[in-house]
């Protein structure tokens, strides 16, 4: 009976996984899903979307079911991680915290995305499975078996390769999960690890996965340089000629939300010469422009960061919830099950509440970091610290490296912060000073978001409206 209680939460997580797979089969395919599945069918891969996912999908495609096998994989990994983490808490005498962990996984704002076959969701699922695997042993102060450690490493490796900016989350997480190491050593390992991944990823994509270069690595400098050019009119600093800058202004090509307008049509023609340059040359041009016009660069990046944090924006900002039906396609990717579609529709009203604002979770992450650092090392505190630092590192990266503001890009930080808070509170109540300061900070953030939504015009709610806004 005691053994049954020990494994009750992992079994509950398994039941939730089976239920979600059955409710959502054959999965939800969005535009990015279609593009990756098209590569699977054609067996011709490029690196616009990290090819690790498409290659894995090609292996699972033999099972049939369109997006179904990939959806099932990510749901199983998602609940595997949460179930093991909850079970680890139960094994240390914290059943309420274990129940909260499963409750976090069931929150609509997190759970509904698991039906969507997207690289962001695959990354979240793999990272959660890795954390749960380590946490099952680590929470009891036990050494993680070699087989389990190897499994976690494979999961973090996949998570790193499946999204271009995932390294800002996976590397800090991996370094903080190491059983020992002083802060200077961990920071050095993190910096070296991220530098190595930046250098090696293009080689892995091309040589291991056979992916052709698509030009995706030029989108970030192109987005930033176009924004600086429109703000300053400086052709020399930005590498965009005077006629191009005039066209960018006339056609309202620079959008705070995303870079997409620069990829096609007259806007793409305006930056054609710049976009044709090697990626290294474009980043050097960006560095030159940012140094010459630091205020214009900061204004652009902070405006985009605010947008991606969904803070001081109008209500109804697009891409905050998955659609209930798949993107129309001729690839054989069907719609999700009726129960999943019904639940997505019924819960989408939660999208524009503070639970769906990444900035709120960012404020919680800072508070959790302060609380964790003031505590002595312990298994629960150390795991919470790893989660919070991973979340903060990824969120910080959006200040300088981000070209779109979809909510799904923040799923990992939001979930990681929620789990980190549970781990900290399960160990001991937060200090009164930290609690009061945290509530005040979160309250101010929420108040700012509410006032913005009440006073600003409604935000564009779909893709065509955003393109023409």
């Amino acid at each position: 009976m005691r053994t049954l209680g020990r494994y009750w939460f992992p079994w509950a997580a398994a039941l939730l996984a089976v239920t979600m797979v059955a409710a959502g089969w054959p999965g939800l395919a969005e535009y990015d899903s279609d593009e990756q599945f098209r590569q699977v069918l054609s067996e011709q891969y490029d690196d616009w979307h990290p090819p690790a996912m498409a290659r894995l999908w090609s292996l699972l495609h033999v099972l049939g079911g369109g997006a179904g096998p990939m959806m099932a994989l990510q749901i199983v990994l998602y609940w595997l991680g949460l179930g093991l983490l909850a079970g680890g808490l139960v094994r240390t005498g914290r059943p309420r915290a274990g129940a909260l962990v499963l409750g976090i996984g069931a929150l609509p704002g997190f759970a509904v995305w698991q039906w969507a076959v997207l690289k962001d969701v695959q990354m979240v699922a793999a990272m959660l499975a890795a954390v749960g695997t380590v946490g099952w042993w680590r929470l009891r102060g036990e050494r993680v078996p070699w087989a389990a450690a190897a499994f976690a490493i494979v999961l973090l490796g996949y998570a790193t390769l499946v999204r271009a900016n995932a390294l800002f989350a996976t590397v800090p997480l991996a370094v903080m999960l190491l059983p020992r190491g002083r802060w200077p050593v961990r920071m050095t390992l993190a910096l070296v690890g991220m530098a190595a991944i930046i250098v090696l990823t293009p080689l892995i994509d091309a040589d291991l996965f056979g992916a052709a270069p698509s030009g995706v690595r030029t989108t970030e400098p192109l987005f930033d340089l176009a924004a600086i050019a429109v703000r300053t009119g400086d052709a020399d600093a930005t590498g965009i000629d005077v006629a191009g800058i005039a066209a960018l202004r006339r056609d309202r090509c620079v959008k705070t939300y995303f870079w997409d307008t620069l990829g096609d049509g007259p806007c793409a023609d305006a930056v054609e010469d710049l976009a044709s340059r090697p990626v290294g040359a474009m980043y050097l041009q960006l560095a030159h422009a940012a140094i010459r016009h630091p205020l214009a660069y900061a204004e652009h990046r902070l405006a985009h960061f605010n947008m991606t944090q969904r803070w001081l924006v109008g209500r109804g900002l697009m891409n905050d919830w998955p659609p209930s039906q798949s993107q129309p396609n001729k690839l054989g990717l069907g719609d999700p099950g009726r129960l999943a579609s019904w639940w997505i529709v019924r819960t989408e009203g939660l999208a524009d509440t503070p639970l769906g604002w990444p900035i709120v979770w960012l404020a919680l992450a800072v508070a959790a970091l302060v609380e964790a650092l003031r505590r002595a090392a312990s298994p629960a505190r150390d795991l919470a610290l790893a989660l919070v630092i991973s979340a903060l590192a990824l969120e910080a990266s959006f200040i300088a490296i981000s070209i779109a503001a979809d909510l799904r890009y923040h799923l990992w930080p939001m979930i990681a912060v929620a789990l980190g808070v549970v781990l900290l509170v399960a160990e001991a109540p937060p200090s009164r000073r930290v609690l009061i300061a945290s509530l005040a900070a979160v309250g101010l953030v929420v108040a700012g978001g509410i006032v913005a939504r009440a006073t600003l015009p409604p935000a564009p709610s779909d893709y065509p409206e955003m393109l023409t806004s």
Side-chain angles (χ1 to χ4, degrees), residues 178-193:
L178 293 174
R180 61 180 63 87
R182 296 180 179 273
W183 280 103
V185 174
R186 293 183 191 272
M187 292 181 65
T188 301
L189 287 174
L191 292 174
V192 171

Side-chain angles (χ1 to χ4, degrees), residues 47-65:
D47 63 359
W48 189 267
H49 301 287
M53 179 176 168
R55 282 294 190 178
L56 177 60
W57 200 342
S58 71
L59 297 178
L60 297 182
H61 181 51
V62 298
L63 302 176

